[in-house]
Amino acid sequence: MPILPEVPLLDHTALGSFLARRFEAQSEKLSDIPHPKELKDAQKGAERLARAILGGERIALVGDYDVDGVTSTAIVKRFFDLIPYPLVTTIPNRFTDGYGVSKNVLERLDADVIFTVDNGINAIEAAEVCKARGIDLIITDHHTPSDTLPNAYAIINPKQHDCPYPFKEICGAQVGWLLMGLLKQELGLSVDMRQFFPFLALAIIADVMPLVGINRAIVKTGLEMMQSSHLSPFVLIRDFLNRSTVSSEDIAFQIAPRINSAGRLEDASIALEFLLADTTEKAYHQFELLTSLNTLRKETEAQTTHEAMVHVHNDQSIIVVAGEHWNEGVVGIVASRLVNHFQKPAIVLSIHNGIAKGSGRSIGNVDLYTLIKSQEHLLAKFGGHKMAAGLSMNSDYVDAFRQGINEAAKGVNPSDFIPHNEIVGELEHEIINFQLLELLEKFEPYGEGNPRPRFLIRNADVVTVKLFGSDQSHSRLELRPSRVSQKTLELIAFRRTLECPEDKKISCSYTVNKNEWGGRVSLQLMVERIF
């Protein structure tokens, strides 16, 4: 019998007080966004770009293939279109170019100045190639720097140890946007930089940045602006979601996976063209492509997850699994699935031609980047941050890497492995109502750093368990939490096929969500974890 957490019985007042305490020590005003000059090298980078524009030099931008990288690229391209000034944009192809501003990418760029968004902090070789060709390389990134930095003209990254920018947990799109703000000043332009907030909200949510402080302020404003934006991508997003308001969870679970699917399975240019679309027809066409790619991504991911499960060494603190010819584009999501299932950090590697390449995801307070770095003598490349990282190595080293990283993990405090998904309390059946929904909406947006509250149902009677969906992959549970009352609750478990326990009893955690369908609003209780 699992040990259930001891949590208080909550009413609306107690829950409101609990949620308010999350934000007591923070300021959430847009005016608190630190000046971009505080970013080390940002002024230097802006001055060089301004000189290039005024002198008619050739400028090229190198982005990245995830949502943050594609959105960063879209923000910068839209800014240059406003100047207007020609900008060559390229996003590496995951399968043919690899990650970031590689030698391969540089071979097809003819420019006087190249700058990056959401990548480049480990581009040692690329910086040397640029130096040799007389190209000024400006790097903007937010990933954790290694001990050796590229020999670039300017490196703009808040995570540099000597960078005074006070808010370190910002995404690549924010760094790029701040640089554009300085460039605007250098050129004496009157561009309203707030117009990019919907794009920033998309990137912050998708890149799982903590929704606290200035991030929270930008996301709140960005989501509100998304609701009324005339830009084609956001008109299309609103039409697709068909909801009265766009939430952070709509972006995280509906929109971001579609944008991500292009770079995962084919080419990120499909997603970039969606975010740059200047007509609804163009946006619709690109979104259709993204949706079909996302369907394929889900099928590929489900198959790879099934295969990866078989390879898990359950006695180890850090899961490391590798498979021949697993699709490189889905290994990050598969790692997330393993983390959720086994409640421990996971690294998933795809082996092609003797090279193991993949992604890792962490849990709780475990610094996965530092653990991977402890094995850098085995690695060809690695990069990322505390909660997510990418890496590659000779496939012969996988076993040694698995052993080494698990040895290093013995030095991690066991409490760091506890996931940040605390259950806040139990709710009486009677208060699960629209008043509760209104209370929860006051504290949106929910996400990293401000998780949607999870509640506990303890030893409920299972009335029915039914599967639904075209492939019967979702579950609907009818539970009776109290023997005293005949009232039941309906809970949904998406992408999980559940069976009725033998003793017809269940304990689980769940969230309370707003469901809109056909113009009607209802409460939807979503199963989080079954104990």
Side-chain angles (χ1 to χ4, degrees):
M1 191 75 179
I3 298 171
L4 298 178
E6 286 301 321
V7 291
L9 189 64
L10 296 174
D11 58 17
H12 290 165
T13 306
L15 177 60
S17 299
F18 170 84
L19 292 172
R21 282 196 297 275
R22 286 182 175 178
F23 307 106
E24 279 174 350
Q26 300 168 19
S27 174
E28 293 171 24
K29 299 196 295 259
L30 292 172
S31 56
D32 289 328
I33 297 173
H35 197 284
K37 277 185 180 176
E38 293 191 51
L39 276 168
K40 185 191 175 197
D41 275 5
Q43 187 63 42
K44 184 182 180 185
E47 287 170 2
R48 180 64 188 94
L49 287 173
R51 264 200 329 277
I53 289 166
L54 296 172
E57 295 180 76
R58 296 160 303 173
I59 307 174
L61 173 72
V62 180
D64 186 29
Y65 38 66
D66 69 358
V67 180
D68 187 16
V70 174
T71 308
S72 306
T73 307
I75 288 170
V76 172
K77 181 70 173 78
R78 283 181 174 274
F79 180 87
F80 269 72
D81 287 349
L82 291 170
I83 296 179
Y85 194 83
L87 176 73
V88 175
T89 61
T90 186
I91 296 179
N93 181 286
R94 182 190 293 268
F95 306 102
T96 56
D97 296 320
Y99 172 75
V101 53
S102 63
K103 203 173 174 183
N104 200 15
V105 169
L106 290 174
E107 281 172 3
R108 59 176 186 261
L109 291 177
D110 186 18
D112 302 298
V113 179
I114 293 176
F115 72 108
T116 72
V117 281
D118 193 35
N119 78 88
I121 197 62
N122 292 324
I124 309 290
E125 186 185 26
E128 295 308 322
V129 171
C130 286
K131 269 270 190 285
R133 286 174 53 187
I135 299 167
D136 284 336
L137 176 65
I138 298 167
I139 291 168
T140 81
D141 203 348
H142 73 120
H143 295 99
T144 306
S146 56
D147 298 334
T148 306
L149 293 176
N151 184 14
Y153 179 86
I155 299 178
I156 306 159
N157 183 336
K159 289 203 176 86
Q160 291 180 92
H161 70 88
D162 55 349
C163 177
Y165 196 79
F167 202 84
K168 304 293 184 184
E169 293 300 320
I170 59 177
C171 68
Q174 287 166 281
V175 182
W177 174 75
L178 289 166
L179 178 61
M180 292 304 99
L182 281 178
L183 179 56
K184 163 198 153 176
Q185 289 183 357
E186 283 299 308
L187 296 170
L189 300 173
S190 57
V191 176
D192 180 7
M193 298 305 289
R194 284 173 56 100
Q195 67 184 281
F196 299 107
F197 279 178
F199 294 98
L200 291 174
L202 177 60
I204 291 167
I205 294 164
D207 222 48
V208 202
M209 293 294 106
L211 297 187
V212 298
I214 62 169
N215 285 352
R216 185 170 170 79
I218 291 170
V219 167
K220 279 175 92 167
T221 306
L223 290 174
E224 286 166 13
M225 290 173 69
M226 213 180 278
Q227 200 57 48
S228 56
S229 173
H230 297 298
L231 291 176
S232 300
F234 299 119
V235 171
L236 195 285
I237 285 170
R238 284 201 304 277
D239 287 350
F240 169 74
L241 292 172
N242 192 25
R243 293 167 68 91
S244 57
T245 56
V246 180
S247 74
S248 55
E249 290 149 318
D250 292 331
I251 297 298
F253 300 116
Q254 297 288 336
I255 305 304
R258 283 171 165 78
I259 294 172
N260 243 334
S261 66
R264 288 189 186 283
L265 295 187
E266 202 164 306
D267 195 276
S269 60
I270 300 167
L272 180 62
E273 285 182 44
F274 169 66
L275 293 179
L276 293 176
D278 53 6
T279 66
T280 310
E281 290 75 23
K282 176 68 172 173
Y284 179 83
H285 176 71
Q286 295 305 119
F287 197 76
E288 286 283 285
L289 290 175
L290 293 173
T291 297
S292 60
L293 282 171
N294 193 48
T295 302
L296 178 59
R297 186 271 305 167
K298 283 195 261 191
E299 292 167 1
T300 309
E301 170 216 316
Q303 177 62 30
T304 309
T305 301
H306 176 72
E307 291 175 22
M309 288 275 195
V310 180
H311 291 76
V312 172
H313 296 249
N314 212 3
D315 58 333
Q316 295 180 329
S317 305
I318 312 293
I319 294 167
V320 179
V321 292
E324 286 281 349
H325 302 294
W326 285 345
N327 189 302
E328 203 182 295
V330 302
V331 290
I333 313 173
V334 173
S336 295
R337 297 277 179 260
L338 297 183
V339 170
N340 290 338
H341 185 83
F342 293 100
Q343 296 289 291
K344 56 178 75 172
I347 295 167
V348 180
L349 302 163
S350 170
I351 299 173
H352 288 267
N353 301 324
I355 300 296
K357 204 168 163 189
S359 293
R361 299 291 183 268
S362 195
I363 197 169
N365 208 32
V366 177
D367 188 338
L368 188 62
Y369 177 86
T370 300
L371 286 173
I372 290 171
K373 189 175 188 300
S374 73
Q375 304 305 303
E376 68 179 313
H377 58 285
L378 297 171
L379 304 177
K381 277 169 80 173
F382 72 100
H385 43 79
K386 181 176 176 177
M387 299 306 291
L391 64 162
S392 66
M393 72 189 86
N394 185 304
S395 58
D396 292 340
Y397 298 161
V398 171
D399 287 340
F401 174 79
R402 181 188 294 114
Q403 196 173 338
I405 199 168
N406 274 283
E407 192 61 38
K410 289 177 181 175
V412 177
N413 189 323
S415 66
D416 287 350
F417 286 88
I418 298 169
H420 293 154
N421 57 353
E422 58 179 325
I423 295 170
V424 302
E426 292 185 63
L427 298 176
E428 290 283 11
H429 190 294
E430 291 70 27
I431 74 160
I432 303 175
N433 52 25
F434 283 101
Q435 189 185 342
L436 173 67
L437 202 57
E438 284 174 22
L439 172 65
L440 291 172
E441 284 180 336
K442 280 184 189 174
F443 296 94
E444 289 188 346
Y446 291 111
E448 182 69 20
N450 180 36
R452 182 172 282 275
R454 293 165 171 85
F455 305 105
L456 180 68
I457 289 180
R458 193 186 297 269
N459 297 324
D461 293 325
V462 180
V463 180
T464 59
V465 178
K466 292 179 181 174
L467 302 182
F468 68 99
S470 57
D471 55 355
Q472 299 286 287
S473 63
H474 314 301
S475 305
R476 182 179 282 111
L477 291 79
E478 187 182 357
L479 305 181
R480 186 177 293 112
S482 165
R483 289 184 179 179
V484 179
S485 170
Q486 287 304 300
K487 288 182 179 177
T488 60
L489 290 174
E490 183 179 280
L491 290 87
I492 303 290
F494 285 120
R495 291 183 295 279
R496 289 161 77 183
T497 52
L498 302 176
E499 295 178 356
C500 184
E502 282 185 25
D503 62 357
K504 295 195 173 181
K505 288 280 189 185
I506 206 167
S507 297
C508 66
S509 58
Y510 67 99
T511 60
V512 179
N513 301 61
K514 181 180 181 179
N515 183 39
E516 289 186 51
W517 183 256
R520 291 183 61 217
V521 176
S522 61
L523 275 74
Q524 192 169 61
L525 310 187
M526 310 278 285
V527 175
E528 281 283 317
R529 183 182 170 195
I530 292 176
F531 293 93

